[in-house]
Amino acid sequence: MTERAAATAASPDRALAPPPRRRDRSGRGRRSGRGPSLRARWLRDRSLLLMTLPAIGLLAVFHYVPTFGNIIAFQQYNPWDGVAGSPWVGLYQFERLFTDPRFWNAVGNTLVIAAVQLVFFFPVPIALAILLDSVLARRVRLVLQSIVYMPHFFSWVLVVTLFQQILGGAGLVSQALRGAGYAPLDIMASPDAFLLVVTSQMVWKDAGWGTIIFLAALAAIDQNLYESAAVDGANRWRRMWHITLPGLRPVIVLLLILKLGDILNVGFEQFYLQRDAFGSGVSEVMDTYVYHQTLVTGNFSAGAAAGLLKGAVGLVLILVANKTAHLMGEHGVYRRS
C-alpha cells in the first residue's frame, strides 16, 4: 500500500477534502483542474474590458436601444401620441405590406440587384488581391493599392456625378458619338442599363477596398507551400488553384455568409440619387421603399414593419448560410463549442 493510500485509509475525511489550490503565473491561487475564478479573470482582463466600454456604449445607444422602437410596427403609430398613446393593431401593418405591389416590386429589385452584385462584384476583390500580391516591387504595389483604394473614400454623390458626366446624355461618350455623326446615347436614363450601371459603380467604388481582407489572408499562407509546389513542377496557375484559393476559402466563406445576411440591404444613397433618372420601377429597393413610407408619406408603422421584416430575413439567411458552412467543414461566423 502506498503512503497516500495509507494516509487516506487512516483519515477518511481527507479523501473528501477539496483538491489543493495551485498558484498560477499571476500569483493568484486556483483549484487544480479548473480555470481561474471570475474575480481572477476580471483582475487579469480589466484593462481590456475598460477599453471596450466606449464601443459597447455606442452599440447600446445606436443599435440595441433603437431596436425597442420596432414596437411601432404593431401599432398605428402617430408621432403626436407617441408609442404609449398609439393604438395597437397587431399584424395589420404586415398584412398591408404583403398586399402592396410597390413592396413586392422593391423586394424583387433588391434581390435581382443583390444577386447580380454577388456574382459580378464578389470575385473582383479576390482577383485584385491575387494580382496585387503577385507584384514583386514593393513601391509599385503600394502605388497600385492606393489607386484602387481611393474610390472607396468618394461619396455616392461624387460617384454618380462622375458616371453622369461620362455616360449621361451630355457626357463624354455622347459628345464623342455626336462628333462621329451618331445619335447620342444616354445610358444614365435607360432603365434597361440600370443593373449594369449600378453594378459598375459598386465595383469601381468598393472593389479595391475589399481587397484589404484578402491581402491579409494571402499574407497568412505559408510561402514554403509555393516553393515546394514550384520544385515539384507546378506552374503559376496550378499554385493558385491548389494553394492560394484553398488558403482563401475560409475568408471567402465568412464574407459570403455576411453578404448573404446583408442581401436585402443593397444601399440607399446610390439608388435614391438615381431613382428619378431611371424610374422607380427598376430602382426602387427596400431601403428607398422604407424611406418613402416613413419620411415622405408619414406612415412610420409601415416603414418599421418593412425594416423589421428585412432584418428577420437577413438573420435567417445568416443562420442557414452558417449551418451550410459547418456542413462544408468551415467555421463560418460562429461555431458552438
Side-chain angles (χ1 to χ4, degrees):
M1 181 181 297
T2 63
E3 296 181 359
R4 184 176 180 181
T8 302
S11 179
D13 295 337
R14 186 175 180 180
L16 302 177
R21 300 177 66 87
R22 294 189 300 180
R23 311 292 292 182
D24 57 11
R25 293 183 179 180
S26 61
R28 291 179 290 271
R30 62 183 178 89
R31 292 192 180 277
S32 174
R34 298 178 59 183
S37 64
L38 179 61
R39 180 175 180 274
R41 284 181 291 173
W42 162 255
L43 293 176
R44 181 192 63 192
D45 301 330
R46 61 183 181 274
S47 299
L48 297 176
L49 294 174
L50 290 175
M51 290 173 61
T52 60
L53 285 180
I56 294 174
L58 288 174
L59 286 174
V61 172
F62 293 103
H63 290 271
Y64 294 111
V65 173
T67 303
F68 294 101
N70 286 321
I71 193 175
I72 67 175
F74 305 94
Q75 295 179 324
Q76 189 64 45
Y77 178 72
N78 186 349
W80 303 107
D81 298 330
V83 176
S86 298
W88 187 269
V89 295
L91 299 177
Y92 169 74
Q93 299 296 343
F94 294 92
E95 295 176 359
R96 179 181 178 183
L97 200 66
F98 291 148
T99 57
D100 186 359
R102 295 174 300 175
F103 170 75
W104 291 111
N105 178 57
V107 172
N109 291 337
T110 303
L111 293 177
V112 171
I113 293 170
V116 172
Q117 290 183 354
L118 190 65
V119 173
F120 292 97
F121 168 74
F122 196 73
V124 174
I126 302 174
L128 277 176
I130 295 175
L131 290 175
L132 290 174
D133 188 67
S134 63
V135 178
L136 299 179
R138 183 174 180 273
R139 292 186 177 181
V140 176
R141 184 189 305 175
L142 292 177
V143 171
L144 293 177
Q145 288 179 4
S146 301
I147 292 174
V148 297
Y149 292 169
M150 190 179 301
H152 174 76
F153 300 99
F154 296 162
S155 67
W156 277 114
V157 177
L158 180 58
V159 173
V160 173
T161 302
L162 288 174
F163 272 75
Q164 181 67 37
Q165 294 298 321
I166 296 174
L167 303 176
L172 295 177
V173 175
S174 295
Q175 291 179 10
L177 291 175
R178 286 194 187 96
Y182 296 98
L185 185 62
D186 190 3
I187 299 177
M188 296 299 291
S190 175
D192 296 332
F194 176 73
L195 278 176
L196 177 62
V197 171
V198 296
T199 305
S200 302
Q201 292 171 350
M202 177 70 71
V203 170
W204 182 74
K205 186 177 188 297
D206 289 331
W209 184 256
T211 60
I212 294 177
I213 299 177
F214 294 106
L215 283 173
L218 286 173
I221 299 177
D222 189 2
Q223 297 300 316
N224 294 326
L225 297 176
Y226 293 102
E227 297 176 2
S228 301
V231 171
D232 292 338
N235 57 22
R236 178 170 297 182
W237 292 105
R238 286 290 183 180
R239 294 196 297 269
M240 182 187 69
W241 183 259
H242 293 286
I243 300 176
T244 304
L245 292 181
L248 293 177
R249 189 174 68 174
V251 179
I252 294 174
V253 171
L254 175 61
L255 294 180
L256 184 61
I257 293 173
L258 297 178
K259 186 66 176 178
L260 288 175
D262 203 38
I263 196 170
L264 294 181
N265 188 23
V266 293
F268 171 75
E269 294 181 13
Q270 180 187 12
F271 300 96
Y272 179 75
L273 292 170
Q274 304 174 92
R275 186 174 183 271
D276 295 334
F278 287 100
S280 60
V282 295
S283 62
E284 186 79 291
V285 294
M286 288 290 294
D287 292 328
T288 57
Y289 176 83
V290 171
Y291 169 79
H292 281 276
Q293 286 293 317
T294 53
L295 299 181
V296 177
T297 63
N299 192 351
F300 294 93
S301 296
L308 183 60
L309 183 64
K310 184 178 71 171
V313 172
L315 177 61
V316 171
L317 288 175
I318 285 182
L319 295 177
V320 172
N322 193 70
K323 184 64 176 178
T324 305
H326 291 171
L327 296 177
M328 295 171 58
E330 300 293 339
H331 289 281
V333 179
Y334 65 91
R335 180 185 290 272
R336 289 185 178 180
S337 58

